[in-house]
């Protein structure tokens, strides 16, 4: 019998027309636009789905300080409950969210992933071009969250 995680991923794969393969430990890893690592991980004990990405490695200094300050200011402004954080072990800006399986539909997950990817890529592009925050506002209305063709 399929777990709720397997069921949602199976339905999402059909919706976005992309094969999403569940690895060991209930993890899915996807490379978005060949530059953004995205991970979905099921915590079956708490019945939650973790969506996680490492946006960019940022060397110590004033630039990292400014990026983190700007990112933290954004934590309460998202349409969905996304959180920016600093991952010390690899000096990176990360973003994550937890979703309860009971509250997830395929359409909702699709919208959340599209918004998550849009925001992550916006920040990645800003940091990669030497900016401490993105300057544009994004839309969360994409049909394919992984920008796959």
């Amino acid at each position: 019998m399929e777990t709720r995680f397997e069921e949602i991923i199976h339905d999402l794969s059909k919706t976005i027309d992309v094969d999403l393969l569940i690895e060991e430990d209930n993890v899915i890893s996807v490379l978005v636009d060949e530059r953004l690592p995205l991970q979905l991980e099921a915590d079956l004990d708490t019945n939650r789905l973790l969506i996680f990405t490492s946006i960019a490695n940022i060397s110590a200094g004033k630039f990292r300080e400014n990026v983190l300050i700007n990112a933290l200011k954004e934590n309460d402004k998202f349409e969905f409950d996304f959180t920016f954080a600093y991952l010390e072990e690899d000096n990176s800006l990360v973003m994550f969210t937890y979703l309860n399986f009971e509250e997830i539909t395929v359409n909702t997950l699709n919208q959340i992933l599209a918004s998550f990817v849009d925001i992550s890529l916006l920040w990645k592009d800003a940091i990669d071009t030497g900016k401490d925050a993105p300057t544009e506002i994004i839309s969360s209305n994409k049909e394919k969250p992984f920008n796959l063709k």
Side-chain angles (χ1 to χ4, degrees), residues 101-114:
F101 283 121
E102 295 97 28
E103 300 169 5
I104 301 174
T105 66
V106 173
N107 290 335
T108 302
L109 181 57
N110 192 22
Q111 288 178 321
I112 291 169
L113 284 171

Side-chain angles (χ1 to χ4, degrees), residues 48-116:
R48 296 189 311 169
L49 174 66
L50 168 66
I51 304 172
F52 175 89
T53 189
S54 178
I55 295 172
N57 292 356
I58 311 168
S59 300
K62 189 67 174 171
F63 179 70
R64 177 170 73 191
E65 181 181 328
N66 290 339
V67 168
L68 297 178
I69 288 169
N70 288 325
L72 291 175
K73 288 178 184 177
E74 295 298 309
N75 275 342
D76 66 345
K77 297 180 182 176
F78 296 123
E79 176 183 359
F80 301 106
D81 191 21
F82 303 151
T83 303
F84 281 119
Y86 174 68
L87 189 60
E88 187 174 16
E89 64 192 44
D90 67 354
N91 295 318
S92 63
L93 176 66
V94 300
M95 191 167 73
F96 66 93
T97 190
Y98 284 98
L99 306 172
N100 292 319
F101 283 121
E102 295 97 28
E103 300 169 5
I104 301 174
T105 66
V106 173
N107 290 335
T108 302
L109 181 57
N110 192 22
Q111 288 178 321
I112 291 169
L113 284 171
S115 181
F116 190 91

